């Protein structure tokens, strides 16, 4: 959903960069519509979670990526592929790391022989 992160309990620093990039692209295109919607959603989610659970959950790196894709005119049908392309090297590195250490690093992730 683009909110929350296993490690970051505050605003994901990559999310901050993506938010700034989304705003720059919106301004360059002269169309703040999608950026403004994302900001309203972000502020609403943070506010609601503080009211209901007593602690906020902040956007992660993926939340503003959809806005960026929109301003870059990337068709929605390609969003998942573009999302995955940026992560393939990390997934492969994770598999190599597991292979070298001969143990599964995250129990719910791939088994060693699947990498």
């Amino acid at each position: 959903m683009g909110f929350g992160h296993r490690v970051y309990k505050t605003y994901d620093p990559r999310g901050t960069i993506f938010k700034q990039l989304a705003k720059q692209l919106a301004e360059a295109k002269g169309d703040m519509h999608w950026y403004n919607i994302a900001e309203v959603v972000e502020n609403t989610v943070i506010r609601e979670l503080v009211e209901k659970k007593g602690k906020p959950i902040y956007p992660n790196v993926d939340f503003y990526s959809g806005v960026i894709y929109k301003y870059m005119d990337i068709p929605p049908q390609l969003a998942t592929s573009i999302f995955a392309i940026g992560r393939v090297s990390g997934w492969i590195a994770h598999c190599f790391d597991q292979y070298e250490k001969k143990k599964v690093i995250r129990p719910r992730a791939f088994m060693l022989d699947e990498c």
Side-chain angles (χ1 to χ4, degrees):
M1 77 181 204
F3 280 83
H5 193 279
R6 278 177 43 94
V7 176
Y8 300 122
K9 301 305 176 203
T10 60
Y11 214 103
D12 183 335
R14 302 165 304 163
T16 302
I17 293 167
F18 266 52
K19 181 176 181 177
Q20 292 168 355
L21 179 59
K23 185 174 185 178
Q24 290 171 0
L25 288 169
E27 289 169 346
K29 291 264 187 174
D31 175 11
M32 298 298 291
H33 178 75
W34 297 105
Y35 178 81
N36 290 338
I37 289 173
E39 256 197 338
V40 168
V41 170
E42 173 187 355
N43 294 332
T44 302
V45 168
I46 292 171
R47 184 185 69 246
E48 290 295 316
L49 288 173
V50 167
E51 287 177 10
K52 291 186 175 151
K53 297 199 175 212
K55 60 182 177 178
I57 294 179
Y58 299 97
N60 60 36
V61 69
D62 301 314
F63 182 70
Y64 280 95
S65 65
V67 177
I68 291 169
Y69 295 167
K70 181 73 175 170
Y71 287 125
M72 292 176 66
D73 297 321
I74 294 173
Q77 302 89 322
L78 295 178
T80 302
S81 300
I82 299 293
F83 173 88
I85 287 169
R87 286 158 177 77
V88 168
S89 61
W91 294 337
I92 291 170
H94 183 76
C95 287
F96 283 149
D97 197 35
Q98 287 184 156
Y99 181 73
E100 287 176 11
K101 293 180 181 174
K102 303 282 190 238
K103 70 176 191 172
V104 177
I105 296 168
R106 291 178 60 201
R108 287 180 263 158
F110 297 104
M111 295 303 294
L112 185 59
D113 59 350
E114 292 181 46
C115 290

